[in-house]
Amino acid sequence: MKYDIELTHEQILKKQYKQLLGGKREHWEMRGKAQLDFLKSQGLREDHCLIDIGCGPIRAGEYFIQFLDTGNYIGVDYNKSFIEAAKMVAADKSLDAKRPLIEQVQDFALPEGASSAVYAIAFSVLNHCDDSQRRSFFRNVGDGLAVGAKVFVTHAGWLDGFAVPQSRLELVRRIGEADVRFFDAAWSSEDRQKLFPIAEFVVRDRASERTF
Ligand SMILES: C[S@@+](CC[C@H](N)C(=O)[O-])C[C@H]1O[C@@H](n2cnc3c(N)ncnc32)[C@H](O)[C@@H]1O
């Protein structure tokens, strides 16, 4: 997998992780801020709790934490060095007072606090995963969130033809490029072809048997 890599402490200090994400250093800030603008347009408020699934080195998390009330940000990722980087960024930007919860997880098993989340975003995460990881996402994210939570998954073209397992996540909408313009500035038109559709799921109280 593309993100099965471990950076050294030295590489993290030099912020070399920025070269590993699309848009690299050049678009790092804009690609972070645009995610917050997008979620605000979908109703995210300061008093909501948000879980950033596959948060990486909190490129967007930095802006989420700034915006949200204290204790309302959870960031999870399976990459140990990205989690180390994320914690370093939070400390450097004096965001620790907002008490973000940043944790390494496996197979998308969410921490207990995730049951408080009203919103979840997996931005450019599942497109980097294989089908087995995608199935874990549907099971574990569905089980880890409370009923009614909204889950946004970008780069969701792979959903076509994917055998979705039974899950509490129900697809409610596919957001297309014409519906949101927040990604125009920092993504090329070719990159936006991959970013959309953004799939919006809602957590139901029992496993959905619907196919997409
Ligand atoms: C392209 S980066 C996006 C990071 C962040 N969402 C952003 O937009 O800045 C993809 C992220 O997904 C994470 N990831 C990939 N597979 C994962 C998995 N199975 N569980 C958790 N995180 C995963 C990677 O470690 C990486 O941080």
Side-chain angles (χ1 to χ4, degrees):
M1 278 321 119
K2 183 171 174 190
Y3 291 106
D4 284 346
I5 41 163
E6 193 161 345
L7 298 175
T8 63
H9 186 66
E10 193 63 21
Q11 288 171 318
I12 293 172
L13 285 175
K14 289 183 181 158
K15 303 189 193 314
Q16 287 185 359
Y17 49 79
K18 291 194 176 183
Q19 291 307 104
L20 301 174
L21 269 61
K24 304 192 175 169
R25 281 180 196 272
E26 192 192 346
H27 293 302
W28 189 264
E29 285 78 17
M30 286 174 83
R31 287 196 177 198
K33 275 188 204 142
Q35 296 184 41
L36 174 62
D37 292 337
F38 166 69
L39 284 184
K40 281 165 73 177
S41 77
Q42 303 303 313
L44 178 74
R45 300 190 315 245
E46 294 91 326
D47 59 321
H48 285 145
C49 176
L50 165 71
I51 182 159
D52 187 4
I53 302 171
C55 62
I58 59 168
R59 176 174 67 166
E62 172 186 342
Y63 300 100
F64 294 146
I65 299 166
Q66 274 167 9
F67 171 74
L68 295 167
D69 291 345
T70 300
N72 282 354
Y73 175 83
I74 303 170
V76 295
D77 202 286
Y78 78 154
N79 184 302
K80 191 168 164 237
S81 37
F82 283 177
I83 290 296
E84 184 185 338
K87 289 184 175 172
M88 225 179 258
V89 171
D92 286 353
K93 306 260 173 177
S94 306
L95 296 171
D96 283 345
K98 286 279 191 93
R99 296 205 309 273
L101 178 68
I102 298 169
E103 266 193 27
Q104 188 185 10
V105 296
Q106 296 303 332
D107 302 322
F108 297 108
L110 304 185
E112 235 174 68
S115 58
S116 308
V118 181
Y119 279 77
I121 187 165
F123 194 101
S124 187
V125 177
L126 291 170
N127 46 315
H128 297 294
C129 291
D130 61 21
D131 281 356
S132 151
Q133 289 174 321
R134 289 171 182 155
R135 282 192 290 275
S136 297
F137 179 93
F138 276 95
R139 276 190 221 100
N140 291 336
V141 171
D143 287 348
L145 297 175
V147 172
K150 292 174 180 227
V151 182
F152 294 91
V153 174
T154 70
H155 301 75
W158 55 268
L159 259 178
D160 289 325
F162 176 69
V164 178
Q166 269 207 6
S167 162
R168 292 170 80 225
L169 298 183
E170 184 185 338
L171 182 71
V172 289
R173 195 158 60 115
R174 283 172 195 258
I175 300 170
E177 191 174 350
D179 303 323
V180 278
R181 310 290 349 175
F182 302 105
F183 305 112
D184 287 5
W187 280 261
S188 66
S189 128
E190 193 187 329
D191 285 348
R192 287 199 302 277
Q193 299 286 310
K194 298 177 198 149
L195 198 158
F196 293 98
I198 299 174
E200 178 185 340
F201 298 89
V202 70
V203 179
R204 299 297 185 202
D205 61 355
R206 65 184 66 182
S208 163
E209 292 180 20
R210 296 163 68 148
T211 49
F212 301 148

